[in-house]
Amino acid sequence: MKRADVVEFYRRLAEADPHPETELEFRNPFTLVVAVALSAQATDASVNKATRALFAEVDTPEKMVALGEEGLKRHIRTIGLFNTKAKNVIALSRMLIDDFAGEVPPDREALERLPGVGRKTANVVMNVAFGAETFAVDTHIFRVGNRTGLAPGKTPLAVELKLDKATPQPFRLHAHHWLILHGRYICKARKPECWRCPVVDLCAYKPKTPPPKTA
């Protein structure tokens, strides 16, 4: 995608949603880390449903360790892979207490030391909690980056690095949220809704989906 088209691409997404936010519900950087870790291979809606009662009671690493793995499982058993995720959340809570004085670190290297926290999760936390200009490439962004031609790449890291290089100011802070939401609600995996896409003329995707036939 040409640079002028990249600017226009983001300008239109920004115009449609000037202040995009994560759809995960959280109370502080710790609950954000937990929510993002729980969201792997699960929908934000399913995570929010499971964590509302949890975060009302547990919003610090100390409280999470006191709750314990079995107690946490009772809250999150509706989320996929809940056994492994519960084990990781308790382990990362202990590490935050032991190595970071109970505070969530703001840098990627430290975040990736936490059990269950990979590069994508670290990028989300850095962006949402600390205002870093990071690009958390999930399945939606991977698809949008490749399908549109904005940031084609064979791996999430390749797409992330291309987005980092291609995305100009003033769009860098919110870019990954615009792309996630665009992929989630318009540029869908099976059947993109091209007929209502605000950037359809800038997109490299050739078999544009026509509008649904009216009854």
Side-chain angles (χ1 to χ4, degrees):
M1 192 179 291
K2 296 178 181 178
R3 183 165 182 81
D5 289 342
V6 172
V7 172
E8 180 63 12
F9 184 98
Y10 280 119
R11 188 198 67 76
R12 293 183 195 176
L13 295 184
E15 184 177 56
D17 187 4
H19 303 289
E21 296 180 347
T22 178
E23 293 187 325
L24 286 171
E25 297 173 6
F26 67 99
R27 294 178 175 233
N28 54 30
F30 171 69
T31 54
L32 176 63
V33 171
V34 173
V36 180
L38 294 176
S39 71
Q41 299 181 51
T43 65
D44 287 1
S46 69
V47 173
N48 291 339
K49 187 175 180 180
T51 57
R52 283 183 191 122
L54 173 66
F55 292 161
E57 302 173 15
V58 178
D59 58 2
T60 67
E62 293 81 5
K63 291 178 183 178
M64 188 66 75
V65 170
L67 178 66
E69 192 172 324
E70 292 305 315
L72 177 56
K73 286 180 183 179
R74 287 194 290 272
H75 282 277
I76 67 169
R77 63 176 62 255
T78 56
I79 300 174
L81 306 174
F82 73 92
N83 284 310
T84 299
K85 291 176 180 179
K87 183 178 180 180
N88 284 336
V89 168
I90 297 301
L92 74 82
S93 298
R94 287 201 179 99
M95 183 176 284
L96 287 173
I97 295 167
D98 295 341
D99 296 355
F100 300 100
E103 298 294 327
V104 175
D107 63 281
R108 183 184 291 113
E109 184 178 353
L111 284 165
E112 287 191 46
R113 286 177 53 197
L114 300 173
V117 175
R119 186 179 181 91
K120 184 189 76 173
T121 297
N123 281 339
V124 172
V125 174
M126 290 168 63
N127 177 268
V128 176
F130 302 110
E133 295 173 351
T134 54
F135 302 84
V137 179
D138 66 350
T139 56
H140 298 301
I141 291 187
F142 186 79
R143 178 175 66 256
V144 171
N146 278 285
R147 183 183 275 169
T148 63
L150 176 66
K154 293 184 178 180
T155 66
L157 180 59
V159 171
E160 178 188 335
L161 296 177
K162 285 195 176 182
L163 283 173
D164 193 19
K165 184 177 180 180
T167 304
Q169 295 291 7
F171 307 111
R172 293 177 60 81
L173 179 61
H174 294 313
H176 95 266
H177 280 128
W178 283 316
L179 296 174
I180 286 173
L181 295 172
H182 186 66
R184 185 173 290 165
Y185 296 112
I186 296 178
C187 196
K188 300 175 182 179
R190 293 187 179 181
K191 195 172 184 181
E193 298 181 2
C194 303
W195 71 90
R196 66 183 192 93
C197 174
V199 292
V200 64
D201 57 309
L202 305 173
C203 173
Y205 185 63
K206 294 301 182 184
K208 308 292 190 194
T209 309
K213 295 179 180 180
T214 57

